[in-house]
Amino acid sequence: MDSHPDAQRDTGSRLTPSPGPRTDHRSGTEGSEPDARTRILNAAEELFAHAGYDATATAGIAKAAGVPKGLVFHYFPRKIDLLATLIGERTGIEELREDHADTQPGDPVRMLSRLALRVPLHASPAMRTILFREAGTHRPARERLRHLNAELNRRARFALELALPGSRGDHARLEAAAATFTAVLLYQESLCQLTGQHIDAELVANLIAKALT
Amino acid sequence: MDSHPDAQRDTGSRLTPSPGPRTDHRSGTEGSEPDARTRILNAAEELFAHAGYDATATAGIAKAAGVPKGLVFHYFPRKIDLLATLIGERTGIEELREDHADTQPGDPVRMLSRLALRVPLHASPAMRTILFREAGTHRPARERLRHLNAELNRRARFALELALPGSRGDHARLEAAAATFTAVLLYQESLCQLTGQHIDAELVANLIAKALT
Amino acid sequence: MDSHPDAQRDTGSRLTPSPGPRTDHRSGTEGSEPDARTRILNAAEELFAHAGYDATATAGIAKAAGVPKGLVFHYFPRKIDLLATLIGERTGIEELREDHADTQPGDPVRMLSRLALRVPLHASPAMRTILFREAGTHRPARERLRHLNAELNRRARFALELALPGSRGDHARLEAAAATFTAVLLYQESLCQLTGQHIDAELVANLIAKALT
Amino acid sequence: MDSHPDAQRDTGSRLTPSPGPRTDHRSGTEGSEPDARTRILNAAEELFAHAGYDATATAGIAKAAGVPKGLVFHYFPRKIDLLATLIGERTGIEELREDHADTQPGDPVRMLSRLALRVPLHASPAMRTILFREAGTHRPARERLRHLNAELNRRARFALELALPGSRGDHARLEAAAATFTAVLLYQESLCQLTGQHIDAELVANLIAKALT
DNA sequence: AATGAATGAGAATTCATTCAT
DNA sequence: AATGAATGAATTCTCATTCAT
């Protein structure tokens, strides 16, 4: 009836990983050419990451994707839908599961390290760049980032709380420690990209754990 | 043939605080209307911060500044000059002076705290937003940010080194600690703006000092 | 090579009522859903009447009709065919029959009144709106309107001539009277729609008859 | 401060003749080339009249006016502003003055004739075409037309009332007579254009007056 | 017959920038 | 220095139409 495949004009917040159809971004099954829609998203991802959303022309996206200009509109009636779709489909945030079977009470370092190694954000470096850059001006990006921050923070706090049951030190310190670790995880990449400054999350985990013990 | 007031076509990097003529941004000395050039910069600052450089039209800046469109180009022949000038004039970075008269060996917490209280970046919140957002795509912003990061890092490391002369723990840990504190200082504001997450730098200073002792 | 159902590429003038297949517009015989072609025409009729032919997108018609976009082109290869078909099928003009059995010599008022009550145009209000609006720019509509005007005029003149055999007054006056009555009948609806002005055709019939007697 | 010369985004209803600056449409004083804005309006008037508002491209207007495309936007930020401005500036409706010095009680024919000769609409044939065509879909045109109809009607009624003080016949008949005459005046031109049918307003005035006496 | 992806010409609008005054 | 008309390239978006399935 209505033809627009995507066009979920609700640019709003669809922040759950959206277990929808196309989880296999970047391709049609294996090595073959991905379909047009995927190619468009791939191109948009790359160009947005490189020059920013506003400085990227849809014509450029079409060209990079190897499709006619009109097809971009066919799938994404408004340019902003491209951004919204990228964020909706390519920045999956892994929620904290309730079964903490792998909990290691007393070993905060290991828990933080594990968090550092597996930041619960399923997104390419390009998507991360986009997420951070556009968060300042685009609602969907901001909400996604907010969500991610909350999740990271919850996990860091959880790790520290479990690890330090005695609540040594007041609550505020634990909060600050969790927030710090979260910030490091969040901005590590961005910082490195922008300033060349590298941070070893492993070591930071160590420091923070030590500070609280 | 050309004698534009600004027009330092060298969009390049003029990263020193440039204690030149107009240090009194928002000028006009007291409460009166600032001059046209200043009003234009003020407007640009606000609009760039709000919507980003690319999404801001020069016509919009002129309107917000209450000046005719042509005047913007009179002062800033190219749009990018606006950004360059803002960064050049309104993101002064205070270099580390060599006289460490106020050094307090043995009291890292206090030194870090002081750093946190007086981040050596003389810039309005709007300018910081601009600096971070445009760093990804605009050279001058990136270099400025890089410089700021370096300065913060140097100070943090300096504080920690002075404070912990015995070099307790290896160099890498100290590096990580300094980088972490730097990151917190750098992104604190941005983080709060984007996610609402607040970090208490005092407490972080405390934690980090404790971790290293 | 081609066998489109309609596609009478002769956008030209098929101005006879075309007692062809589908006289039962809005068909489906009774209350059930009309077939796709009819739904498309219904949608086109409504949208053309509301926003005008040029401002109506075929995609919008498809959507309003609840059919896929491609189907519209299946039935009506070119957009203009929609308009031509509507005019051809939905603006039947009832020709003056030659048997004037119901003639009432001497009673012009009654004859004009009857004409007013049964304007020989079988068309919905929407179709009339379309007919008038597009007559200015689309040949088929113009010819249809011209035809309708001619028919109305012929009837009015006929009524007045029959009624006033003595040709009281010159021919020009009778012409003017007929034309006036025709104009009132033609534009009555349009006038009301555009300006809210209502005209009572009965009374006009009366006036005109009186003026000529 | 704001640059757009026109741009009275209030597409709304500015239905008074707007005794503003440019009453001398079509030119800069005498025979010389009119200024750009006027040329654009002239071109728009002609093209809108010929093909309709929707079917006319702004690029075509620019070309016909001999100005670059961008200049059209400079004066009329949105295409609809062209239509609104044309209607606002080029369809002056002459209000009925209160001094009826020239009143001729007892001579309805002459008063109606005079009305026919000097329809109180200062508009070119092209503007009239536009006014009627777009009234169905564009508010400003509709309101203008409504206004014109009201004015014409008021005058016709006034003429008939003054002329026939005895109120011979009931009020409804007089209403119908006025409305009929109004309709003839209004649509005369349109009718002729669309169907070739010509109406002699003089004769109609005669008929109507006679009918009421 | 039915469907919706694909296509590309062109529409309106945007906007940085130039320039005469 | 100040102004706003002028310019035209580029951008987003629209849409009729085609076509493979």
Side-chain angles (χ1 to χ4, degrees):
Chain A
M1 207 144 294
D2 186 2
S3 350
H4 299 310
D6 263 75
Q8 358 139 284
R9 296 236 169 185
D10 66 319
T11 278
S13 57
R14 180 102 80 64
L15 294 183
T16 358
S18 112
R22 311 161 229 263
T23 319
D24 57 332
H25 338 128
R26 336 216 118 260
S27 160
T29 319
E30 357 118 15
S32 68
E33 260 304 77
D35 59 44
R37 183 180 180 278
T38 305
R39 289 212 309 281
I40 291 170
L41 286 175
N42 289 349
E45 180 178 332
E46 184 174 325
L47 295 179
F48 286 170
H50 188 259
Y53 171 81
D54 289 309
T56 301
T58 51
I61 295 173
K63 193 172 169 188
V67 303
K69 236 181 350 174
L71 198 54
V72 174
F73 166 75
H74 182 250
Y75 286 108
F76 309 95
R78 325 211 142 258
K79 187 185 175 187
I80 196 65
D81 294 332
L82 276 166
L83 182 58
T85 302
L86 281 178
I87 289 174
E89 292 187 7
R90 299 190 174 183
T91 61
I93 294 174
E94 199 181 292
E95 303 279 344
L96 184 58
R97 293 137 316 154
E98 289 308 316
D99 61 330
H100 307 294
D102 54 350
T103 288
Q104 303 282 346
D107 192 351
V109 174
R110 214 176 131 199
M111 288 191 69
L112 289 182
S113 288
R114 192 188 305 165
L115 183 56
L117 285 175
R118 286 210 313 123
V119 171
L121 170 65
H122 300 318
S124 67
M127 276 312 306
R128 293 176 192 217
T129 299
I130 294 171
L131 193 60
F132 285 100
R133 176 166 225 271
E134 307 307 337
T137 44
H138 295 282
R139 178 91 48 106
R142 181 155 57 254
E143 294 191 345
R144 204 72 163 165
L145 188 57
R146 197 183 293 267
H147 185 72
L148 174 61
N149 178 74
E151 181 63 21
L152 279 176
N153 211 247
R154 195 181 325 147
R155 292 200 188 207
R157 218 169 43 221
F158 177 70
L160 293 173
E161 274 166 356
L162 265 191
L164 314 162
S167 152
R168 206 176 325 262
D170 54 320
H171 183 66
R173 292 189 69 208
L174 195 144
E175 276 290 338
T180 299
F181 194 64
T182 295
V184 165
L185 291 187
L186 262 186
Y187 287 110
Q188 189 183 18
E189 205 170 74
S190 156
L191 187 71
C192 186
Q193 212 170 99
L194 297 180
T195 69
Q197 174 79 245
H198 184 73
I199 300 186
D200 185 334
E202 205 57 55
L203 281 177
V204 176
N206 233 293
L207 282 171
I208 285 181
K210 178 140 185 248
L212 286 181
T213 5
Chain B
M1 185 183 277
D2 191 359
S3 71
H4 292 299
D6 263 74
Q8 359 140 280
R9 298 243 168 183
D10 67 319
T11 277
S13 54
R14 179 104 78 64
L15 293 184
T16 356
S18 109
R22 312 161 229 263
T23 320
D24 57 332
H25 339 128
R26 336 208 133 263
S27 84
T29 317
E30 357 118 9
S32 70
E33 267 295 83
D35 59 49
R37 184 179 178 281
T38 306
R39 289 214 307 283
I40 291 170
L41 286 176
N42 290 348
E45 180 178 331
E46 183 174 326
L47 295 179
F48 286 170
H50 188 259
Y53 172 81
D54 289 309
T56 300
T58 50
I61 294 172
K63 193 172 169 186
V67 304
K69 202 167 36 163
L71 199 53
V72 174
F73 287 92
H74 180 71
Y75 286 113
F76 309 95
R78 329 215 136 254
K79 186 186 176 189
I80 196 67
D81 295 332
L82 277 166
L83 182 58
T85 302
L86 281 178
I87 289 175
E89 292 187 7
R90 300 191 173 182
T91 62
I93 294 175
E94 199 181 292
E95 304 280 344
L96 183 59
R97 292 138 316 156
E98 289 309 316
D99 60 332
H100 306 293
D102 54 351
T103 288
Q104 304 280 345
D107 192 352
V109 174
R110 210 169 137 206
M111 289 191 68
L112 289 182
S113 287
R114 192 186 307 163
L115 184 54
L117 285 175
R118 286 208 314 121
V119 170
L121 170 65
H122 299 318
S124 67
M127 276 313 307
R128 295 176 190 215
T129 299
I130 294 171
L131 194 60
F132 285 100
R133 174 166 229 269
E134 307 307 336
T137 45
H138 295 283
R139 178 92 46 109
R142 180 155 58 255
E143 295 191 345
R144 203 74 165 158
L145 188 57
R146 197 183 295 265
H147 184 71
L148 173 60
N149 178 74
E151 180 62 21
L152 278 177
N153 212 249
R154 194 181 327 146
R155 293 199 187 207
R157 218 169 42 222
F158 177 69
L160 292 173
E161 275 166 356
L162 265 193
L164 314 163
S167 152
R168 207 174 326 262
D170 55 323
H171 182 65
R173 292 191 68 208
L174 196 146
E175 274 292 338
T180 298
F181 194 64
T182 294
V184 166
L185 291 188
L186 261 186
Y187 287 110
Q188 190 181 18
E189 203 170 74
S190 155
L191 187 72
C192 187
Q193 208 170 101
L194 297 180
T195 69
Q197 174 79 244
H198 184 73
I199 301 186
D200 183 335
E202 286 285 330
L203 281 178
V204 177
N206 233 292
L207 283 171
I208 286 182
K210 176 136 188 255
L212 287 181
T213 3
Chain C
M1 186 185 276
D2 190 2
S3 73
H4 292 301
D6 263 73
Q8 0 139 279
R9 298 245 169 180
D10 67 320
T11 278
S13 56
R14 179 104 79 64
L15 294 183
T16 358
S18 112
R22 310 162 231 262
T23 318
D24 56 335
H25 339 129
R26 333 206 135 265
S27 82
T29 317
E30 357 118 10
S32 70
E33 265 296 81
D35 59 50
R37 183 181 178 280
T38 305
R39 288 215 307 283
I40 291 171
L41 286 175
N42 289 348
E45 179 179 332
E46 183 174 327
L47 295 179
F48 286 170
H50 188 260
Y53 172 80
D54 289 310
T56 300
T58 50
I61 294 172
K63 193 171 169 186
V67 304
K69 201 167 36 163
L71 200 52
V72 173
F73 287 91
H74 179 71
Y75 285 113
F76 309 95
R78 329 214 135 254
K79 187 186 175 188
I80 197 65
D81 295 332
L82 276 166
L83 182 58
T85 303
L86 281 178
I87 288 175
E89 292 187 7
R90 298 191 175 184
T91 62
I93 293 175
E94 200 180 290
E95 303 280 345
L96 183 59
R97 291 140 315 158
E98 288 307 318
D99 59 331
H100 307 294
D102 54 352
T103 288
Q104 303 280 345
D107 191 352
V109 175
R110 209 171 138 203
M111 288 190 70
L112 290 183
S113 289
R114 191 187 306 165
L115 184 54
L117 287 175
R118 285 208 315 121
V119 171
L121 171 64
H122 299 318
S124 67
M127 276 312 306
R128 295 177 190 213
T129 299
I130 294 172
L131 194 60
F132 285 100
R133 175 167 229 268
E134 307 307 336
T137 45
H138 294 283
R139 178 93 46 110
R142 181 156 56 254
E143 295 191 343
R144 203 70 164 166
L145 188 57
R146 196 182 295 266
H147 185 71
L148 174 59
N149 178 74
E151 181 61 21
L152 278 177
N153 212 247
R154 194 182 325 148
R155 292 200 187 205
R157 218 170 42 222
F158 178 69
L160 291 173
E161 275 167 355
L162 264 193
L164 313 163
S167 153
R168 208 174 324 261
D170 55 321
H171 183 65
R173 292 191 70 207
L174 195 145
E175 274 294 335
T180 298
F181 195 64
T182 296
V184 166
L185 291 188
L186 261 187
Y187 287 111
Q188 191 181 17
E189 203 170 76
S190 157
L191 187 72
C192 186
Q193 210 170 100
L194 296 180
T195 69
Q197 173 79 244
H198 184 72
I199 300 186
D200 184 334
E202 287 283 332
L203 280 177
V204 176
N206 233 292
L207 282 172
I208 286 181
K210 177 138 186 252
L212 286 181
T213 4
Chain D
M1 206 143 292
D2 186 359
S3 351
H4 299 310
D6 262 76
Q8 359 139 288
R9 296 237 169 188
D10 66 319
T11 279
S13 54
R14 181 101 81 64
L15 293 184
T16 356
S18 113
R22 311 162 230 266
T23 320
D24 58 332
H25 337 130
R26 335 214 121 261
S27 160
T29 318
E30 358 117 13
S32 68
E33 262 301 80
D35 60 43
R37 183 180 179 279
T38 305
R39 289 213 308 283
I40 292 171
L41 285 176
N42 289 350
E45 180 178 331
E46 182 174 327
L47 296 179
F48 286 171
H50 188 258
Y53 171 81
D54 290 309
T56 301
T58 51
I61 294 172
K63 195 172 167 188
V67 303
K69 234 182 348 176
L71 198 54
V72 174
F73 165 75
H74 181 251
Y75 286 109
F76 309 95
R78 325 212 141 259
K79 185 185 175 187
I80 196 67
D81 295 331
L82 276 166
L83 182 58
T85 301
L86 281 178
I87 288 174
E89 293 187 5
R90 300 191 174 182
T91 61
I93 293 174
E94 197 180 294
E95 304 278 344
L96 183 57
R97 293 137 316 154
E98 289 308 317
D99 60 331
H100 308 294
D102 55 349
T103 287
Q104 305 281 345
D107 193 352
V109 175
R110 212 173 136 202
M111 290 191 67
L112 289 183
S113 287
R114 192 187 306 165
L115 184 55
L117 286 175
R118 287 208 314 124
V119 171
L121 170 65
H122 299 318
S124 66
M127 276 311 307
R128 294 177 192 216
T129 300
I130 295 172
L131 194 60
F132 285 101
R133 176 165 227 269
E134 306 308 336
T137 45
H138 295 283
R139 179 91 46 107
R142 181 155 57 252
E143 294 191 345
R144 204 71 164 162
L145 189 56
R146 196 183 294 265
H147 184 70
L148 174 60
N149 179 74
E151 182 61 21
L152 279 177
N153 212 247
R154 195 180 326 145
R155 293 201 187 206
R157 218 169 42 220
F158 176 70
L160 292 173
E161 275 166 357
L162 264 193
L164 314 163
S167 152
R168 206 175 326 261
D170 53 321
H171 182 66
R173 291 191 69 207
L174 195 146
E175 275 292 337
T180 298
F181 194 64
T182 295
V184 166
L185 291 187
L186 262 186
Y187 287 111
Q188 190 182 19
E189 203 170 76
S190 156
L191 187 72
C192 185
Q193 209 170 100
L194 297 180
T195 69
Q197 174 79 243
H198 184 72
I199 299 186
D200 184 335
E202 198 71 43
L203 281 178
V204 176
N206 234 292
L207 283 172
I208 286 181
K210 174 136 190 251
L212 286 181
T213 5

